Amino acid sequence: MLGFLKGDPRKKLQKEYEAKLAKALDAQRNGDLRTHGTLMEEAEKIYAEIQALDEKK
């Protein structure tokens, strides 16, 4: 009934994905490659969730 008040889960995941990528880039620029790798793994997991949502449609 009030479906328009629900947030779009894809948009939320997209924002999280972009934030992880930005943090990973900053870590890489600062020379912290371990953190960069960890953040990229997390970003890849979020991207997989986004792909799964797109496949459901």
Side-chain angles (χ1 to χ4, degrees), residues 27-39:
Q28 184 181 24
R29 286 182 178 163
N30 291 330
D32 189 359
L33 297 180
R34 183 169 293 174
T35 303
H36 168 73
T38 303
L39 290 169

Side-chain angles (χ1 to χ4, degrees), residues 14-32:
Q14 184 69 32
K15 284 184 181 182
E16 288 179 27
Y17 175 68
E18 291 172 5
K20 290 285 182 185
L21 288 179
K23 286 181 183 179
L25 181 62
D26 287 340
Q28 184 181 24
R29 286 182 178 163
N30 291 330
D32 189 359

Side-chain angles (χ1 to χ4, degrees), residues 1-15:
M1 185 169 153
L2 296 176
F4 67 91
L5 292 178
K6 279 185 163 180
D8 185 13
R10 189 188 187 292
K11 285 184 182 181
K12 180 183 174 189
L13 287 173
Q14 184 69 32
K15 284 184 181 182

Side-chain angles (χ1 to χ4, degrees), residues 39-57:
L39 290 169
M40 287 302 294
E41 279 185 32
E42 293 173 7
E44 288 174 6
K45 289 178 186 177
I46 294 170
Y47 185 72
E49 290 178 30
I50 292 170
Q51 294 295 87
L53 284 175
D54 287 344
E55 288 177 2
K56 284 184 179 180
K57 288 183 179 182

